[in-house]
Amino acid sequence: MQSTNMKLLLGTTKGAFLLHGENDRTEWQVTGPYCNGWCINHVIGDPASGTIWAGGGNEFHGAGIWRSEDGGETWHLTRLSRGMLDEWAAQDPDFADMVDWSKDPLPFDETVQQIWSLGHDHGIVYAGTKPASLLRSEDKGQTWSRVDALTDHPSAKDWNPGAAGLVLHTIVFDPDDAKKQWVGISAAGVFATEDGGSTWERRNRLSNKEACTHNDHPAAPSDGETGHCVHNMMRATGSEDLLYQQNHHGVWRSSDGGRSWEDITKGLPSTFGFPIRIHPHDPQTIWTIPLNGDSAGRYPPDAAAAVWRSRDGGATWQDLRNGLPQKSCYFTVLRQAMAGDRCECHGLYFGTNSGSIFASLDEGESWQEIARHLPTILSVEALDLEA
């Protein structure tokens, strides 16, 4: 399909931004920042209605989810927990008036610090939180409830935080089955439900568990399971539950909905990275952006940027560098900062912690910088509005 009204939705450390693209995706206009300068970890949109949601927060604001139903012109905030702002407002009536503060209790004051991820499918909006839990809304994000079966999973007492804390950062759907869903938690691994969230199964088993029983790195595969620090995960289009994940320690493929995982890292320059992307029309074409390692700086190997592509499900890999900086490149691309559109000629986009957006309209063969000097980019999503 050809896009009729393309937007890139950006989450940054200084609010949400929109990049508006013409039909040919060659000219882009930046608008923002939105959401009152909140730290926004993830922004998503509904192509049918045009509704946009932005989730984030911090110690000052607490956690919350912003919603716009007019393409970003106006925004409405649903606060979910309190922050330092509330302590100030409680002591200062003038400040309370300035920020339109209410002393009414918020629904997740004791349990949620930030919103880390969002998802929308089958008419329901989901939010992943820090500390790790899953929230859901059936009224477009106005009110929220917790998916208790995941929070109370028998393994929860053993979940360990990653470097950014214990976060639920990835939400994956089956577009044909509303009861099936996957989430990624750092550092607890992959969890799946097939009954609409009533029960959850932990799915990290290796397909070759006998070949990998121990590794000294805490995030690496051991005891027959992949490293529990999954960084990002996607489901391929089609009837089969084909999943790919970029882990703290490698890239992995599962052809059975996560019940077993196969290491497909061979051919990449490193095991470490954050995003993973799958072609919307070809389940065997995937992209990732390797970085040099968690303790080596987390920038492209040899300080030369490349997106790596596989056309055969991870059996072989090719580095794509045309248009990307090849000298003194020290940026990081975070877990939710790579996106793809639904155009027939598939477009790819990624954002950097140095504030740049790069785009490719030929499936990664060539790249151009379409925006720069933005705040640290935490997430990128492509919204193709339906005619």
Side-chain angles (χ1 to χ4, degrees), residues 38 58-64 77 79-93 95-96 99-106 109 112-113:
W38 276 45
N58 52 25
E59 291 183 0
F60 181 75
H61 290 110
L77 171 62
R79 295 191 68 204
L80 299 177
S81 67
R82 295 177 179 269
M84 190 183 300
L85 174 150
D86 299 274
E87 298 177 16
W88 291 9
Q91 303 298 322
D92 186 340
F95 179 73
V99 298
D100 193 25
W101 180 71
S102 170
K103 63 181 180 180
D104 294 340
L106 297 174
D109 269 337
V112 173
Q113 299 169 4

Side-chain angles (χ1 to χ4, degrees), residues 206 212-228 247 249-250 252 263:
L206 290 168
C212 188
T213 58
H214 180 73
N215 192 298
D216 291 335
H217 194 290
S222 63
D223 300 324
E225 292 193 344
T226 65
H228 289 170
N247 196 281
H249 206 276
W252 302 80
D263 187 354

Side-chain angles (χ1 to χ4, degrees), residues 234-307:
M234 285 193 70
R235 180 185 183 273
T237 300
S239 59
E240 302 297 325
D241 287 335
L242 176 60
L243 300 173
Y244 295 92
Q245 67 159 290
Q246 170 68 65
N247 196 281
H248 191 108
H249 206 276
V251 180
W252 302 80
R253 170 188 169 116
S254 173
S255 59
D256 54 12
R259 292 176 176 84
S260 63
W261 293 90
E262 174 190 2
D263 187 354
I264 57 172
T265 314
K266 185 178 179 181
L268 291 172
S270 72
T271 59
F272 188 84
F274 285 110
I276 191 83
R277 197 75 210 166
I278 308 176
H279 196 291
H281 314 302
D282 179 5
Q284 300 302 311
T285 296
I286 54 179
W287 297 267
T288 188
I289 303 177
L291 303 176
N292 62 356
D294 60 347
S295 59
R298 301 188 177 196
Y299 55 82
D302 302 319
V307 175

Side-chain angles (χ1 to χ4, degrees), residues 26-317:
T26 59
E27 299 291 335
W28 298 87
Q29 178 186 359
V30 178
T31 61
Y34 304 108
C35 307
N36 287 2
W38 276 45
C39 178
I40 297 297
N41 289 314
H42 199 196
V43 188
I44 65 168
D46 174 16
S49 68
T51 302
I52 301 171
W53 295 271
N58 52 25
E59 291 183 0
F60 181 75
H61 290 110
I65 297 171
W66 296 78
R67 183 182 75 259
S68 175
E69 298 185 33
D70 55 12
E73 293 294 325
T74 60
W75 294 81
H76 305 278
L77 171 62
T78 299
R79 295 191 68 204
L80 299 177
S81 67
R82 295 177 179 269
M84 190 183 300
L85 174 150
D86 299 274
E87 298 177 16
W88 291 9
Q91 303 298 322
D92 186 340
D94 291 336
F95 179 73
D97 288 341
M98 183 179 70
V99 298
D100 193 25
W101 180 71
S102 170
K103 63 181 180 180
D104 294 340
L106 297 174
F108 302 103
D109 269 337
E110 305 300 323
T111 56
V112 173
Q113 299 169 4
Q114 288 180 304
I115 301 301
W116 262 70
S117 58
L118 296 168
H120 174 262
D121 206 19
H122 303 289
I124 300 175
V125 188
Y126 291 87
T129 73
K130 174 184 178 180
S133 66
L134 184 65
L135 310 180
R136 58 179 280 158
S137 172
E138 298 185 14
D139 56 10
K140 296 185 177 182
Q142 299 180 63
T143 61
W144 295 83
S145 61
R146 181 184 289 109
V147 180
D148 290 329
L150 181 61
T151 303
D152 300 334
H153 193 273
S155 67
K157 63 182 183 301
D158 299 321
W159 296 356
N160 293 310
L166 184 64
V167 297
L168 194 158
H169 52 66
T170 302
I171 306 170
V172 176
F173 303 99
D174 182 338
D176 299 318
D177 187 346
K179 293 185 176 181
K180 292 174 69 173
Q181 191 174 353
W182 297 261
V183 299
I185 299 175
S186 291
V190 176
F191 294 79
T193 181
E194 297 188 0
D195 55 15
S198 297
T199 61
W200 293 81
E201 182 181 10
R202 200 176 190 182
R203 295 185 180 176
N204 301 292
R205 182 172 61 87
L206 290 168
S207 59
N208 60 337
K209 62 178 297 185
E210 295 79 10
C212 188
T213 58
H214 180 73
N215 192 298
D216 291 335
H217 194 290
S222 63
D223 300 324
E225 292 193 344
T226 65
H228 289 170
C229 195
V230 53
H231 282 176
N232 192 257
M233 177 174 59
M234 285 193 70
R235 180 185 183 273
T237 300
S239 59
E240 302 297 325
D241 287 335
L242 176 60
L243 300 173
Y244 295 92
Q245 67 159 290
Q246 170 68 65
N247 196 281
H248 191 108
H249 206 276
V251 180
W252 302 80
R253 170 188 169 116
S254 173
S255 59
D256 54 12
R259 292 176 176 84
S260 63
W261 293 90
E262 174 190 2
D263 187 354
I264 57 172
T265 314
K266 185 178 179 181
L268 291 172
S270 72
T271 59
F272 188 84
F274 285 110
I276 191 83
R277 197 75 210 166
I278 308 176
H279 196 291
H281 314 302
D282 179 5
Q284 300 302 311
T285 296
I286 54 179
W287 297 267
T288 188
I289 303 177
L291 303 176
N292 62 356
D294 60 347
S295 59
R298 301 188 177 196
Y299 55 82
D302 302 319
V307 175
W308 289 71
R309 182 182 64 200
S310 175
R311 295 286 199 188
D312 50 20
T316 61
W317 294 91

